[in-house]
Amino acid sequence: MRILVTGGTGFIGSHTVVELLENGYDVSIVDNLCNSSAVVLDRIKQITAKTANFHKIDLLDKVALDGIFESERFDCVIHFAGLKAVGESVKEPWKYYNNNLVGTLNLIDSMSRHGVKNLIFSSSATVYGSPKVVPITEEHPKGNCTNPYGQTKSMIEQILTDIHKADGEWNIVLLRYFNPIGAHPSGLIGEEPNGTPNNLMPFITQVAIGKLPELGIFGSDYDTKDGTGVRDYIHVVDLAKAHVKAMKKIFDNAGLEIYNLGTGKGYSVLEVVHSFEEATGIKIPYSFKPRREGDIAACYASADKAKKDLGWVAEYGIKEMCLHSWNFQKLNPNGYGE
Ligand code: NAD
Ligand code: UD1
């Protein structure tokens, strides 16, 4: 079976390509490399001893995208490609709506015209907005997304839901990721943030390696166990494995399904810092800063539905997440070096 992975050289996509290849699937990747490096392709080969077909194509280039569907036959598409920087999306909303929405619409059009109607989409816990209750189940109503990035996820979910409603031949799984961190245990692939990281774990690893002087902790007066924000961190390899399970569900004629992908456990910022220090033996200097705009106090998943329907549970704990994030940073101090 051949799977098309859009955004397959990115952080989550590359780990998923590894899992797909290791599970015997043939893989084709489409990525324009706007937030990733072609070096990833060699790294994937080093890990798996297998090669994925690579097409350096922008999803906005409808003709080129369609060309791939003319030349290859896909059984399923896993759609990661998108822009994901929350702050940038506030400053440049058009870019986000254009890239994420038009890219997805072009993809659906090509899929539809070539009779490929199996799709897994990378959504986010951001669609829940500020949760009314935690843990968050899939039935939790969608909330107010405070930024254009989150809006694109919510809108694409709606578009895909309507497409499935109109044509029951589509099998679509919407995966709502919580907070992916970690890296492949080999240290060969991982997360390479662009510029100063916005997210917690890449910031911590850059402090650990000496690129940044200290971590600023955004808010110490939240209504949480120690006043700092609580999130559901999930190891990217566990997340990648969930895609393989979700694909099996698709081949069983899933219809339209939504799954949270998290561990079900919430860790505060201070707990993450201390876990990192324990796992690596490296001290992380920090100071408290005001709350970051748009942040919520606590967000963690009920992952029961994925366990029941997909037989998937996250296996790695916070210690391995920290250790593997650090391992990637240590082995690749300048990222993929391009
Ligand atoms: P990433 O930036 O590492 O990967 C996305 C990939 O898509 C990149 O390789 C980029 O070059 C490519 N891309 C972007 N626009 C494209 C276009 N128009 N045409 C072709 N390629 C394009 O991001 P990631 O962390 O791997 O995230 C993957 C998906 O998961 C994204 O849709 C993201 O919004 C979603 N998601 C990520 C997180 C997270 O914390 N990382 C959380 C929730 C959801
Ligand atoms: C952020 C995005 C969210 C996106 C998710 C995964 C915002 C407002 N939200 O979520 O839309 O889906 O990333 O990509 O950007 N923290 C610090 N100091 C830092 C960085 C983070 O204290 O330097 C804290 C945050 O306040 C939060 C926690 O660490 O409590 C996790 O932050 P982060 O990794 O940015 O993820 P989210 O805020 O959950």
Side-chain angles (χ1 to χ4, degrees):
M1 279 199 209
R2 180 162 288 278
I3 315 303
L4 177 65
V5 181
T6 76
T9 47
F11 173 45
I12 306 170
S14 58
H15 289 82
T16 303
V17 169
V18 165
E19 292 303 320
L20 290 169
L21 292 171
E22 286 183 339
N23 279 277
Y25 294 98
D26 295 318
V27 176
S28 297
I29 295 173
V30 168
D31 202 301
N32 64 0
L33 302 179
C34 71
N35 197 37
S36 55
S37 160
V39 171
V40 167
L41 299 165
D42 297 329
R43 302 288 178 91
I44 290 172
K45 197 173 170 191
Q46 277 184 59
I47 296 170
T48 63
K50 291 180 181 167
T51 310
N53 287 351
F54 177 63
H55 305 277
K56 184 174 183 287
I57 282 175
D58 194 319
L59 291 188
L60 299 180
D61 184 345
K62 211 168 183 313
V63 175
L65 180 63
D66 219 54
I68 305 173
F69 282 85
E70 293 289 327
S71 60
E72 295 180 31
R73 161 88 216 152
F74 304 113
D75 297 284
C76 182
V77 177
I78 308 183
H79 178 33
F80 294 102
L83 297 174
K84 62 163 185 177
V86 173
E88 188 185 54
S89 81
V90 175
K91 288 193 192 100
E92 297 179 79
W94 180 83
K95 182 169 149 186
Y96 273 68
Y97 287 117
N98 188 50
N99 190 75
N100 294 1
L101 295 180
V102 178
T104 302
L105 291 171
N106 286 347
L107 179 67
I108 294 167
D109 188 40
S110 283
M111 289 177 68
S112 183
R113 281 186 299 98
H114 293 87
V116 185
K117 295 188 175 179
N118 293 328
L119 177 67
I120 296 175
F121 173 63
S122 297
S123 189
S124 165
T126 196
V127 300
Y128 293 116
S130 185
K132 292 189 178 66
V133 280
V134 282
I136 304 171
T137 65
E138 289 81 355
E139 281 74 45
H140 189 292
K142 280 164 78 176
N144 239 348
C145 293
T146 52
N147 57 77
Y149 162 73
Q151 294 284 9
T152 67
K153 292 293 168 196
S154 191
M155 288 175 184
I156 293 169
E157 283 201 358
Q158 187 60 53
I159 291 168
L160 295 176
T161 305
D162 290 342
I163 282 172
H164 171 260
K165 217 181 280 173
D167 177 357
E169 280 183 14
W170 278 86
N171 294 301
I172 299 174
V173 172
L174 309 176
L175 297 177
R176 292 176 178 163
Y177 310 153
F178 280 65
N179 289 60
I181 59 171
H184 193 268
S186 64
L188 286 167
I189 52 173
E191 184 170 16
E192 187 184 27
N194 217 343
T196 304
N198 295 308
N199 297 121
L200 180 63
M201 185 53 75
F203 204 104
I204 290 178
T205 61
Q206 293 207 6
V207 171
I209 206 156
K211 283 191 175 179
L212 296 166
E214 66 161 18
L215 170 71
I217 297 186
F218 301 140
S220 54
D221 59 351
Y222 283 110
D223 184 15
T224 58
K225 44 191 146 186
D226 57 22
T228 65
V230 167
R231 298 289 185 275
D232 187 338
Y233 298 93
I234 172 165
H235 196 295
V236 65
V237 170
D238 279 326
L239 197 66
K241 287 182 173 159
H243 290 73
V244 179
K245 301 256 178 169
M247 216 169 54
K248 289 185 179 142
K249 178 82 184 172
I250 286 243
F251 295 140
D252 282 346
N253 294 323
L256 181 106
E257 290 289 350
I258 301 176
Y259 297 104
N260 285 339
L261 295 181
T263 63
K265 289 192 203 82
Y267 287 94
S268 72
V269 178
L270 280 173
E271 284 176 329
V272 174
V273 170
H274 294 140
S275 303
F276 187 90
E277 291 178 335
E278 269 168 41
T280 63
I282 299 168
K283 194 108 198 93
I284 300 299
Y286 63 81
S287 63
F288 291 109
K289 304 278 184 214
R291 292 181 178 194
R292 180 172 65 179
E293 206 188 317
D295 266 2
I296 50 179
C299 173
Y300 54 95
S302 159
D304 294 349
K305 188 179 174 204
K307 182 177 179 186
K308 187 169 149 270
D309 278 21
L310 307 178
W312 171 87
V313 278
E315 285 168 4
Y316 285 116
I318 191 76
K319 190 177 164 197
E320 289 116 333
M321 296 183 213
C322 292
L323 209 50
H324 294 160
S325 292
W326 172 234
N327 193 35
F328 178 73
Q329 174 77 75
K330 203 172 45 176
L331 294 174
N332 305 272
N334 298 312
Y336 292 108
E338 283 197 324

